[in-house]
DNA sequence: GCCTGATACATAATACTCTTATGCATAAGA
DNA sequence: TCTTATGCATAAGAGTATTATGTATCAGGC
């Protein structure tokens, strides 16, 4: 298994879905492992999604109709590609907006000048 | 009991300690109920700390030596004032710095222009 | 005088989400 | 051939917050 921890561990709680959905919105069709790598890159190695967190979340969002899948055989290896459904696309927007609002609120609370 | 929910519920996970410590750092001696009200004000009513979350956290941080307490009788009512210890003061700084870094990373991931 | 809502503390049961651990299997490189 | 990377998946456990409950004082309206 590949390495799987992160710096500010608990802060990530509740952001996993938002991250995954947004990555899919920006990049289109992707498979699980690819998502972990992209998140790792975009976060300069600070966010390393664990498989135990990612796969159940993907399954859950698929069950909720936010994602649809397509299984492809690469040689003898299985890849499961995920794409946003129409519902998924509107949920991403909500989630990102919600997170932006959250950041703004936190900036006020913590007296940060960022926002 | 007073009202106790919040908009973007799960995002708050992991930020409670940071919020409480920072509020105490900025305002000095405060008691539990006062903290909930201040957070409510500073967040424009979007963050309503629940007692079931706040008090255990305060107790935990006291046990960890980040906070010290002083119990005062107001008439016949008990108030428990919390103040940062020296350890608490350095931990706040770390936590706030950590959160700022987290926001920056998330901004990159979510393609936000805030940071 | 009584009731409601705000003030003020506290803890227990429950739910949720993620971490850690484990399992299986193929492919590439040293 | 052995380790690392790729690629999926699930289960046990930990951690943190929500919801519910309990106790009690105080102020204001009727």
């Amino acid at each position: 298994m590949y390495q799987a921890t992160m710096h500010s561990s608990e802060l990530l709680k509740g952001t996993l879905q938002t991250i995954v959905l947004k990555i899919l919105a920006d990049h289109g069709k992707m498979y699980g492992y690819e998502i972990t790598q992209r998140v790792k890159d975009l976060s300069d190695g600070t966010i390393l999604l664990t498989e135990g967190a990612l796969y159940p979340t993907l399954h859950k969002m698929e069950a909720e109709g936010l994602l649809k899948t397509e299984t492809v055989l690469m040689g003898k290896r299985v890849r499961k590609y995920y794409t946003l459904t129409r519902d998924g696309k509107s949920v991403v927007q909500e989630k990102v907006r919600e997170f932006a609002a959250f950041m703004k609120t936190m900036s006020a609370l913590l007296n940060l000048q960022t926002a």
Side-chain angles (χ1 to χ4, degrees), chain A residues 78-89:
Chain A
V78 176
R79 264 191 201 167
K80 207 163 161 188
Y81 281 97
Y82 289 87
T83 325
L84 291 182
T85 60
R86 188 191 296 186
D87 278 1
K89 284 178 193 169

Side-chain angles (χ1 to χ4, degrees), chain A residues 37-51:
Chain A
Q37 296 309 300
R38 192 163 188 78
V39 168
K40 186 179 170 188
D41 286 350
L42 289 175
S43 69
D44 289 318
T46 55
I47 298 184
L48 304 172
L49 298 189
T50 59
E51 297 154 300

Side-chain angles (χ1 to χ4, degrees), chain A residues 21-22 25 84 87-97:
Chain A
L21 290 173
K22 178 62 174 166
L84 291 182
D87 278 1
K89 284 178 193 169
S90 75
V91 169
V92 190
Q93 292 184 27
E94 275 172 53
K95 293 237 178 211
V96 171
R97 235 181 286 125

Side-chain angles (χ1 to χ4, degrees), chain A residues 42-113:
Chain A
L42 289 175
S43 69
D44 289 318
T46 55
I47 298 184
L48 304 172
L49 298 189
T50 59
E51 297 154 300
L54 179 64
Y55 291 115
T57 296
L58 286 171
H59 300 333
K60 191 190 162 203
M61 293 196 288
E62 188 187 0
E64 286 169 350
L66 306 182
L67 304 177
K68 61 190 172 199
T69 60
E70 191 185 336
T71 302
V72 176
L73 266 174
M74 302 292 291
K76 285 177 181 174
R77 292 251 284 273
V78 176
R79 264 191 201 167
K80 207 163 161 188
Y81 281 97
Y82 289 87
T83 325
L84 291 182
T85 60
R86 188 191 296 186
D87 278 1
K89 284 178 193 169
S90 75
V91 169
V92 190
Q93 292 184 27
E94 275 172 53
K95 293 237 178 211
V96 171
R97 235 181 286 125
E98 194 182 44
F99 190 80
F102 172 66
M103 282 197 359
K104 203 179 160 197
T105 300
M106 285 298 290
S107 294
L109 272 172
L110 300 185
N111 238 329
L112 305 175
Q113 41 270 39

